[in-house]
Structure formats: structure tokens, C-alpha cells
Amino acid sequence: MPIPEDVTGDEIDKDVRQELQSLPKTLAEDVAKNLVMVARLIDEDPEGAYGYSRVALRLASRVAAVREAAGFAAYANQKYSEALAEFRAARRMTGSVDLWPVMADCERGLGRPERAMDMAGAPEVHKLDKAGQVEMRLVAAGARRDMGQLDAAIVTLQSPELASHSVQPWTARLRYAYADALLAAGREGEAREWFAKAVEADRDGSTDASDRLAELDGVEFVDALDDTEDEPGTELGTEPRIKTGTGPEAAAESRDAGGEHAAEESPAGQDAAEQERHGD
């Protein structure tokens, strides 16, 4: 696949660069450039990112960062069985637990929320950093919802991180997930309160909390370019670690972008044969 001239490979994280030092220099440069393209495209063009990840995988399948990037690219394309296999391979190579939450979320994607819940209670969770533990909580709440346990999902999200007034990278998504669960339970007043809190914390627009809040308030957005209206009115404007890339935060964003998932709405699972082909 073509690599733009402005991509040198030097953009990758230093830890990944160190991993690539085990490869011949020219090969390492080619792999690095493909990993940069994965990171560059994974949000806007996941299919393109997947293509570059497959190239990197063919060139250096024994490099953990490559397997991780391939996992995130597959994950972004809802290829959950493939993603899970890559994440497992990366974990075997590094011994790290960082990928545990997104591995559990892959189980959700494959229609196996019970396995995700088992992973949420595993010892590995205690080894995660704070961001990873919050991510695991989001996945666990989503698994509860997958199983129709809405009240349990709400309780799962109730935590010191949710109650905290400080804003962390995960705060907006955690508040959004809680608001969405409350709304699903018919607790509209509380849901509105938490969507508003999500908006306060969402400094980079990572969720659609403002739109959800507006819907609850009965605000209707009007297209300023729509000249079919007879009467003028008030128009309200709408608004892996990919080590350049590869890690749990990036993984979650690939499914949670725009608030579409926030660990609540599990995508359709693949067929049983595909699930078992990469099973435990």
C-alpha cells in the first residue's frame, strides 16, 4: 500500500521504535511507516488502517507492537475474533495486562458477555492502572446490559471515579455511560443531570453528550442552509495506545467514538464457527 511522502516512520512512539530495533534497518523503517499509517487512519478510515496493519503484520509478525496495532485495526473494523487473537498474541509476547479490557470487549463483540464478566473479575484487573480499571468497569457495565441486567449495569458504573469532581481522560465517557444507562432504565431526570455533567467534562468532543442533552430538553437543531422554511427562526448550531498509537485508550475510542458505544451497545457477534476458531 502507498505511503505518503510526509510519513517517515519517526513519528512512532519511542518504545515501539525500540521494539523494531530487532529488525534490519530498512525493514524496521517500512514497518514503522505502516504503523504510522494505522495510527493516522484508524479513526477516520478504519478499513485503510486495517490494510496497513496487515502489511506490517506480514513484515514483522513477531513484534508485539505490530500484533497490538493489528488488533486495534481489526477491532475498529468489528473483526472481533481476529482482534482478540492479535491481542492475545501481543499479551503473550509482553506479559502486559494493558490489553485486558479491550480483550474483554472483544468477547462482548462476539456475543459472549459472560466471558467478559469473567474477565472483569479476574486477578489481572487489579494489575491495571486507573485508566485501565475504569475501562474495565465500562466493559463490565456493557456486558451487564448485553445480558439484560440494566440495574446491575447502573450499579457497576457507580464508583469513586464517577463521583469525583476532577476531570480525567475517562471522565466524560464514564459519565456518559452512566447517563445512558439511567435513561434506558427510564430515570430521565437523573439521566439529564449526568449527560450535563458529561458535557462539562467532554473538552474534546469525544461523546455526543451535548446532542443527547439537547434531545432531552426538546431542542430541535435547524440546518442553517435549509432555505425551505417559510418562516425565519432561531437556529442552534450543532456543534493503538496505537503507540502513535497502540493501547487500551485508543481501543475503547474505536468503539466508543461519538458516544455510540460507551461500553453499552454491543455490536452484532460473528457466527459460531468464527467465534470458536479463535477461542480460548
Side-chain angles (χ1 to χ4, degrees):
M1 297 181 68
I3 303 290
E5 293 184 1
D6 65 320
V7 174
T8 66
D10 293 334
E11 301 90 340
I12 62 173
D13 184 273
K14 63 180 181 180
D15 293 335
V16 180
R17 189 177 299 114
Q18 186 173 358
E19 285 190 55
L20 296 180
Q21 288 179 356
S22 62
L23 303 174
K25 183 177 180 180
T26 301
L27 180 59
E29 291 175 351
D30 288 342
V31 173
K33 289 178 181 179
N34 279 282
L35 291 181
V36 170
M37 293 305 298
V38 173
R40 177 179 288 190
L41 298 176
I42 198 164
D43 291 329
E44 302 299 327
D45 180 13
E47 289 187 8
Y50 180 76
Y52 283 104
S53 77
R54 302 308 295 178
V55 174
L57 196 57
R58 288 198 300 270
L59 295 174
S61 63
R62 296 185 179 181
V63 176
V66 172
R67 303 303 290 267
E68 191 174 334
F72 280 116
Y75 179 87
N77 283 276
Q78 299 185 9
K79 299 177 183 290
Y80 299 112
S81 184
E82 183 178 325
L84 184 57
E86 297 300 341
F87 291 142
R88 284 172 173 165
R91 183 168 181 267
R92 285 195 299 269
M93 292 176 179
T94 64
S96 172
V97 299
D98 289 350
L99 295 171
W100 198 253
V102 70
M103 288 170 63
D105 209 29
C106 285
E107 295 287 7
R108 287 188 60 217
L110 289 168
R112 303 189 295 228
E114 296 84 0
R115 291 196 185 185
M117 287 305 305
D118 288 343
M119 293 179 70
E124 284 82 355
V125 175
H126 300 293
K127 301 176 183 178
L128 294 168
D129 61 14
K130 180 62 69 176
Q133 290 179 1
V134 171
E135 203 62 55
M136 193 71 246
R137 188 177 292 276
L138 286 166
V139 173
R144 290 292 189 189
R145 291 190 64 172
D146 294 343
M147 294 186 288
Q149 301 172 3
L150 188 52
D151 289 340
I154 292 172
V155 172
T156 298
L157 293 168
Q158 293 171 346
S159 62
E161 293 79 21
L162 180 67
S164 175
H165 294 293
S166 66
V167 175
Q168 302 295 333
W170 60 77
T171 302
R173 290 179 51 242
L174 183 59
R175 292 177 179 179
Y176 182 100
Y178 189 58
D180 194 49
L182 289 169
L183 187 60
R187 296 160 61 175
E188 186 172 312
E190 294 172 85
R192 188 204 176 283
E193 175 187 351
W194 282 97
F195 275 127
K197 289 182 178 180
V199 171
E200 293 174 1
D202 195 1
R203 296 168 180 172
D204 59 358
S206 62
T207 75
D208 64 348
S210 60
D211 292 341
R212 300 291 299 277
L213 182 61
E215 289 175 7
L216 287 174
D217 287 343
V219 176
E220 182 177 350
F221 296 111
V222 178
D223 188 346
L225 299 179
D226 186 356
D227 55 0
T228 63
E229 297 291 331
D230 294 330
E231 298 293 334
T234 302
E235 296 171 347
L236 301 178
T238 62
E239 0 176 54
R241 267 176 357 159
I242 276 184
K243 306 177 178 167
T244 52
T246 52
E249 308 88 46
E253 290 303 323
S254 71
R255 286 187 69 186
D256 296 355
E260 293 175 359
H261 179 283
E264 278 78 47
E265 300 295 335
S266 179
Q270 301 179 5
D271 60 49
E274 177 67 7
Q275 293 176 21
E276 293 305 318
R277 189 161 63 85
H278 292 288
D280 295 336

mmCIF file of all heavy atoms in Angstrom, residues 15-25 27-28 60 62-64 66:
data_model
loop_
_atom_site.group_PDB
_atom_site.id
_atom_site.type_symbol
_atom_site.label_atom_id
_atom_site.label_comp_id
_atom_site.label_asym_id
_atom_site.label_seq_id
_atom_site.Cartn_x
_atom_site.Cartn_y
_atom_site.Cartn_z
ATOM 1 N N ASP A 15 9.024 3.638 22.434
ATOM 2 C CA ASP A 15 9.002 2.244 22.865
ATOM 3 C C ASP A 15 8.828 1.310 21.675
ATOM 4 O O ASP A 15 9.438 0.234 21.614
ATOM 5 C CB ASP A 15 7.873 2.011 23.871
ATOM 6 C CG ASP A 15 8.114 2.730 25.190
ATOM 7 O OD1 ASP A 15 9.294 2.994 25.507
ATOM 8 O OD2 ASP A 15 7.131 3.024 25.900
ATOM 9 N N VAL A 16 8.009 1.708 20.723
ATOM 10 C CA VAL A 16 7.821 0.900 19.522
ATOM 11 C C VAL A 16 9.096 0.909 18.697
ATOM 12 O O VAL A 16 9.519 -0.119 18.158
ATOM 13 C CB VAL A 16 6.643 1.413 18.688
ATOM 14 C CG1 VAL A 16 6.461 0.573 17.433
ATOM 15 C CG2 VAL A 16 5.365 1.413 19.506
ATOM 16 N N ARG A 17 9.703 2.070 18.597
ATOM 17 C CA ARG A 17 10.954 2.175 17.846
ATOM 18 C C ARG A 17 12.011 1.235 18.417
ATOM 19 O O ARG A 17 12.757 0.598 17.681
ATOM 20 C CB ARG A 17 11.460 3.625 17.887
ATOM 21 C CG ARG A 17 12.647 3.881 16.940
ATOM 22 C CD ARG A 17 13.069 5.338 16.966
ATOM 23 N NE ARG A 17 11.994 6.208 16.524
ATOM 24 C CZ ARG A 17 11.382 7.089 17.302
ATOM 25 N NH1 ARG A 17 11.724 7.208 18.576
ATOM 26 N NH2 ARG A 17 10.436 7.854 16.824
ATOM 27 N N GLN A 18 12.016 1.136 19.739
ATOM 28 C CA GLN A 18 12.964 0.232 20.381
ATOM 29 C C GLN A 18 12.645 -1.225 20.035
ATOM 30 O O GLN A 18 13.548 -2.029 19.802
ATOM 31 C CB GLN A 18 12.942 0.437 21.894
ATOM 32 C CG GLN A 18 13.992 -0.359 22.642
ATOM 33 C CD GLN A 18 14.041 0.003 24.109
ATOM 34 O OE1 GLN A 18 13.304 0.878 24.573
ATOM 35 N NE2 GLN A 18 14.919 -0.652 24.851
ATOM 36 N N GLU A 19 11.374 -1.578 19.998
ATOM 37 C CA GLU A 19 10.993 -2.938 19.619
ATOM 38 C C GLU A 19 11.439 -3.259 18.200
ATOM 39 O O GLU A 19 11.851 -4.389 17.901
ATOM 40 C CB GLU A 19 9.477 -3.107 19.712
ATOM 41 C CG GLU A 19 8.929 -3.227 21.116
ATOM 42 C CD GLU A 19 7.462 -3.623 21.108
ATOM 43 O OE1 GLU A 19 7.140 -4.666 20.492
ATOM 44 O OE2 GLU A 19 6.642 -2.894 21.693
ATOM 45 N N LEU A 20 11.355 -2.281 17.323
ATOM 46 C CA LEU A 20 11.695 -2.504 15.922
ATOM 47 C C LEU A 20 13.195 -2.613 15.681
ATOM 48 O O LEU A 20 13.629 -2.996 14.585
ATOM 49 C CB LEU A 20 11.119 -1.373 15.061
ATOM 50 C CG LEU A 20 9.596 -1.266 15.017
ATOM 51 C CD1 LEU A 20 9.173 -0.107 14.130
ATOM 52 C CD2 LEU A 20 8.960 -2.564 14.545
ATOM 53 N N GLN A 21 13.996 -2.301 16.684
ATOM 54 C CA GLN A 21 15.447 -2.390 16.527
ATOM 55 C C GLN A 21 15.929 -3.822 16.333
ATOM 56 O O GLN A 21 17.065 -4.056 15.904
ATOM 57 C CB GLN A 21 16.145 -1.771 17.741
ATOM 58 C CG GLN A 21 16.050 -0.254 17.779
ATOM 59 C CD GLN A 21 16.723 0.353 19.000
ATOM 60 O OE1 GLN A 21 17.218 -0.359 19.884
ATOM 61 N NE2 GLN A 21 16.768 1.670 19.046
ATOM 62 N N SER A 22 15.063 -4.775 16.629
ATOM 63 C CA SER A 22 15.428 -6.178 16.413
ATOM 64 C C SER A 22 15.388 -6.544 14.931
ATOM 65 O O SER A 22 15.856 -7.615 14.538
ATOM 66 C CB SER A 22 14.478 -7.096 17.194
ATOM 67 O OG SER A 22 13.138 -6.937 16.738
ATOM 68 N N LEU A 23 14.823 -5.662 14.107
ATOM 69 C CA LEU A 23 14.696 -5.908 12.676
ATOM 70 C C LEU A 23 15.823 -5.230 11.910
ATOM 71 O O LEU A 23 16.418 -4.255 12.391
ATOM 72 C CB LEU A 23 13.360 -5.360 12.168
ATOM 73 C CG LEU A 23 12.094 -5.881 12.843
ATOM 74 C CD1 LEU A 23 10.883 -5.117 12.298
ATOM 75 C CD2 LEU A 23 11.924 -7.378 12.625
ATOM 76 N N PRO A 24 16.126 -5.708 10.704
ATOM 77 C CA PRO A 24 17.064 -4.984 9.841
ATOM 78 C C PRO A 24 16.572 -3.556 9.621
ATOM 79 O O PRO A 24 15.358 -3.313 9.592
ATOM 80 C CB PRO A 24 17.032 -5.790 8.538
ATOM 81 C CG PRO A 24 16.631 -7.171 8.958
ATOM 82 C CD PRO A 24 15.658 -6.970 10.100
ATOM 83 N N LYS A 25 17.482 -2.635 9.462
ATOM 84 C CA LYS A 25 17.135 -1.214 9.432
ATOM 85 C C LYS A 25 16.063 -0.874 8.402
ATOM 86 O O LYS A 25 15.070 -0.203 8.710
ATOM 87 C CB LYS A 25 18.385 -0.378 9.162
ATOM 88 C CG LYS A 25 18.110 1.120 9.187
ATOM 89 C CD LYS A 25 19.382 1.927 8.981
ATOM 90 C CE LYS A 25 19.087 3.422 9.005
ATOM 91 N NZ LYS A 25 20.316 4.237 8.794
ATOM 92 N N LEU A 27 13.885 -2.804 6.916
ATOM 93 C CA LEU A 27 12.625 -3.442 7.271
ATOM 94 C C LEU A 27 11.952 -2.697 8.422
ATOM 95 O O LEU A 27 10.736 -2.484 8.399
ATOM 96 C CB LEU A 27 12.874 -4.898 7.658
ATOM 97 C CG LEU A 27 11.633 -5.709 8.071
ATOM 98 C CD1 LEU A 27 10.609 -5.727 6.943
ATOM 99 C CD2 LEU A 27 12.027 -7.121 8.474
ATOM 100 N N ALA A 28 12.751 -2.313 9.403
ATOM 101 C CA ALA A 28 12.206 -1.576 10.545
ATOM 102 C C ALA A 28 11.560 -0.273 10.084
ATOM 103 O O ALA A 28 10.497 0.120 10.581
ATOM 104 C CB ALA A 28 13.304 -1.291 11.558
ATOM 105 N N ALA A 60 6.455 -8.122 10.017
ATOM 106 C CA ALA A 60 7.060 -8.282 11.352
ATOM 107 C C ALA A 60 6.050 -8.848 12.337
ATOM 108 O O ALA A 60 5.698 -8.197 13.330
ATOM 109 C CB ALA A 60 7.610 -6.945 11.844
ATOM 110 N N ARG A 62 6.414 -11.013 14.548
ATOM 111 C CA ARG A 62 6.966 -11.365 15.851
ATOM 112 C C ARG A 62 7.227 -10.148 16.738
ATOM 113 O O ARG A 62 7.832 -10.271 17.806
ATOM 114 C CB ARG A 62 8.258 -12.166 15.680
ATOM 115 C CG ARG A 62 8.037 -13.511 14.994
ATOM 116 C CD ARG A 62 9.295 -14.352 14.946
ATOM 117 N NE ARG A 62 9.052 -15.641 14.311
ATOM 118 C CZ ARG A 62 9.979 -16.579 14.155
ATOM 119 N NH1 ARG A 62 11.218 -16.356 14.612
ATOM 120 N NH2 ARG A 62 9.682 -17.723 13.571
ATOM 121 N N VAL A 63 6.794 -8.996 16.292
ATOM 122 C CA VAL A 63 6.950 -7.765 17.072
ATOM 123 C C VAL A 63 5.625 -7.475 17.776
ATOM 124 O O VAL A 63 4.574 -7.358 17.128
ATOM 125 C CB VAL A 63 7.357 -6.579 16.182
ATOM 126 C CG1 VAL A 63 7.406 -5.286 16.990
ATOM 127 C CG2 VAL A 63 8.701 -6.850 15.519
ATOM 128 N N ALA A 64 5.646 -7.363 19.091
ATOM 129 C CA ALA A 64 4.421 -7.203 19.875
ATOM 130 C C ALA A 64 3.626 -5.970 19.461
ATOM 131 O O ALA A 64 2.393 -6.009 19.376
ATOM 132 C CB ALA A 64 4.763 -7.142 21.359
ATOM 133 N N VAL A 66 3.402 -4.605 16.640
ATOM 134 C CA VAL A 66 2.733 -4.861 15.367
ATOM 135 C C VAL A 66 1.470 -5.686 15.591
ATOM 136 O O VAL A 66 0.405 -5.391 15.030
ATOM 137 C CB VAL A 66 3.686 -5.582 14.396
ATOM 138 C CG1 VAL A 66 2.936 -6.038 13.143
ATOM 139 C CG2 VAL A 66 4.842 -4.663 14.010
#
